[in-house]
Amino acid sequence: MNDEDYPVRELLRMAVDDVRRPVAVPAGELIAKARRGRRLRRTLGAVTAVAATAALVTGVGLVHPSRAAPVLSGPAAGSAVPAAGRASWVDVPGVGRFSLIPPDRRQAAPALTGRDLDGGSVSLAQFRGKVVVVDFWGSWCAPCQAQAQGVESVAAASAAQGVRFLGVDVSDPAPSAARAYQARYGLSYPSLSDPDRVWAARFPRGVVDAQAFPGTVILDQDGRIAVAGPPSGLTGPELKAVLGLVLGHGG
Amino acid sequence: MGRDDSALREFIDGRREHLFRSAFLLCGDRDEADDLVQSALLNVVLAWRRVERIDNVDAYARRTLVNVFIASRRRRWRREQPHGELPELPAPAVDVEAGMAVQAALSRLPLKQRTVLVLRYWEDLSVEATAELLGMREGTVRSHASRGIATLRSFLPRGISELQKEDA
């Protein structure tokens, strides 16, 4: 019998015919997991000293003392070069993960500028000297909707501390939909209209996912990127706690 | 969260079963196969925008799966000689359930022979495509394939392959 006659195809089919695949992670979760991993690899650099961060956190009023001890997570296996400036992932219990970039490694944010949703001009430059929260959202984006109210309440509460918010309205099909969104959640801050999704991609790699929203970036008083939020942005309570870290840090 | 994930989801849901079977044939373990597929799919997700344009996502996914598998056995893969000796083990008894017998025989095949057989006869790749994917010469692929078949035959109870041959 030569090779061509041997029924290898049929044998292989027999070998897998009755094998049941284990229950698999749903496709959506798998996609999210892959993107979280990418974010980690991009932004994760050397982990700063635990002591330094602990001092930083306890110096802040916004984080409740019971959850004030941050856990620094180790770098992911084989993590790549952190193009976004070296950041450490800080895991504040009860708050979540985000990357806080040490002051000496912060990169400048792109000069966001353009029209707001009412046609007026708006730019990052007008907030010079303030800590700025850049909030990427779209009226089509369900997780953005879920977070909008919480984000707005932090915007209102932190204004007195000199924090300013700038929205970036991403890929909205019509300005009217975006304006309705602003009205529905009572957003007090201006949003830059970004129908062609250009601004997220102008941030350094790994700071904000240009494909998935919402996204949160916090800039220090010098307009440099201090915090790259997790891929899903920061919810109100998370944002409040993280802002505390930035303000406590002296910007 | 992005709006254009539907094609990606469709690909994952549509091809996962096939990838799982390929992975199972390669590694012989259900859970490991599942892990291999997941690793391969994570890579597909990250490369999606690029591979979507290349228009051969299937080939990309297959290549990634094979690479992940080989990486998991890197040391053995490197050490393995192209013409390994056949282990002298008795063929299993004829009354073993057929699918199980083939699984057992496959898992005893030297790594490269097994991988070549899976690519050539399960994925139906040509000798050229198999050689390219594995970074081997075509002659080496042919030799692994023919050795693999001989080994497989020697491991299987006679009844199984003959029965299959009559069916085929």
Side-chain angles (χ1 to χ4, degrees):
Chain A
M1 199 197 294
N2 67 34
D3 292 354
E4 302 310 313
D5 293 334
Y6 200 69
V8 184
R9 283 186 182 80
E10 289 72 24
L11 290 173
L12 292 180
R13 204 166 300 140
M14 282 167 64
V16 282
D17 249 2
D18 296 326
V19 180
R20 290 285 141 259
R21 187 158 59 89
V23 179
V25 182
E29 249 173 69
L30 200 90
I31 295 170
K33 183 177 171 182
R35 291 183 179 150
R36 269 201 306 279
R38 168 169 55 191
R39 172 65 64 100
L40 257 172
R41 284 194 300 278
R42 280 191 188 167
T43 49
L44 201 125
V47 175
T48 52
V50 175
T53 316
L56 183 158
V57 175
T58 45
V60 193
L62 282 171
V63 179
H64 191 273
S66 69
R67 48 157 84 155
V71 180
L72 285 180
S73 45
S79 63
V81 182
R86 302 192 139 221
S88 50
W89 281 90
V90 182
D91 203 342
V92 180
V95 173
R97 294 189 129 201
F98 59 92
S99 65
L100 180 68
I101 300 161
D104 59 337
R105 297 195 189 126
R106 290 178 187 170
Q107 292 176 267
L112 300 165
T113 182
R115 297 279 163 196
D116 67 16
L117 297 172
D118 300 311
S121 62
V122 64
S123 76
L124 199 53
Q126 72 197 68
F127 302 121
R128 188 162 294 148
K130 308 277 188 195
V131 168
V132 179
V133 177
V134 182
D135 171 41
F136 288 87
W137 61 273
S139 69
W140 47 268
C141 151
C144 302
Q145 293 165 19
Q147 281 167 218
Q149 220 148 30
V151 171
E152 168 55 32
S153 69
V154 178
S158 61
Q161 293 162 284
V163 177
R164 295 293 176 265
F165 277 56
L166 175 62
V168 179
D169 170 35
V170 181
S171 297
D172 250 314
S176 57
R179 281 197 294 270
Y181 178 98
Q182 276 186 313
R184 189 174 343 132
Y185 299 105
L187 302 192
S188 60
Y189 50 93
S191 284
L192 183 62
S193 178
D194 185 16
D196 301 319
R197 237 185 240 231
V198 298
W199 284 110
R202 291 190 193 170
F203 277 78
R205 270 166 69 92
V207 170
V208 60
D209 191 334
Q211 302 302 322
F213 299 95
T216 313
V217 180
I218 303 179
L219 312 179
D220 64 18
Q221 274 116 339
D222 301 322
R224 297 171 310 160
I225 300 158
V227 171
S232 50
L234 292 164
T235 63
E238 291 168 350
L239 185 55
K240 186 176 169 188
V242 173
L243 258 180
L245 295 178
V246 176
L247 292 170
H249 209 267
Chain B
M1 230 166 290
R3 293 172 304 168
D4 24 30
D5 283 348
S6 55
L8 180 52
R9 280 168 198 256
E10 210 170 284
F11 174 81
I12 293 176
D13 290 333
R15 296 303 288 165
R16 184 140 58 175
E17 187 69 43
H18 176 81
L19 284 170
F20 171 76
R21 288 171 170 229
S22 304
F24 181 84
L25 286 173
L26 288 170
C27 75
D29 180 87
R30 227 170 65 105
D31 290 326
E32 194 194 343
D34 195 46
D35 286 346
L36 290 173
V37 170
Q38 211 186 104
S39 302
L41 286 175
L42 290 177
N43 283 313
V44 171
V45 172
L46 293 179
W48 181 251
R49 286 160 56 75
R50 191 159 43 83
V51 288
E52 209 178 14
R53 281 198 298 274
I54 295 171
D55 178 53
N56 201 343
V57 191
D58 260 351
Y60 180 84
R62 180 195 302 124
R63 175 182 296 272
T64 310
L65 179 70
V66 171
N67 287 342
V68 171
F69 171 68
I70 292 175
S72 74
R73 286 168 172 64
R74 177 59 69 190
R75 191 170 291 171
R76 265 177 58 198
W77 183 269
R78 282 205 184 128
R79 274 196 199 151
E80 203 168 78
Q81 297 303 310
H83 305 296
E85 299 283 310
L86 294 188
E88 288 185 22
L89 290 166
V94 186
D95 62 353
V96 179
E97 200 264 314
M100 298 283 287
V102 183
Q103 277 174 31
L106 261 181
S107 69
R108 287 165 59 194
L109 283 189
L111 201 50
K112 288 179 183 173
Q113 292 179 10
R114 191 185 339 146
T115 307
V116 166
L117 288 190
V118 171
L119 291 177
R120 287 278 289 119
Y121 297 102
W122 170 256
E123 295 283 352
D124 269 327
L125 294 189
S126 64
V127 170
E128 292 81 354
T130 306
E132 197 270 327
L133 203 165
L134 295 177
M136 289 175 181
R137 292 165 197 267
E138 290 178 18
T140 316
V141 168
R142 285 202 187 87
S143 136
H144 279 306
S146 124
R147 292 249 158 187
I149 290 174
T151 319
L152 192 62
R153 195 191 303 179
S154 76
F155 285 163
L156 279 175
R158 180 150 298 179
I160 289 180
S161 47
E162 278 167 6
L163 199 135
Q164 282 305 305
K165 198 194 162 210
E166 281 158 27
D167 284 356

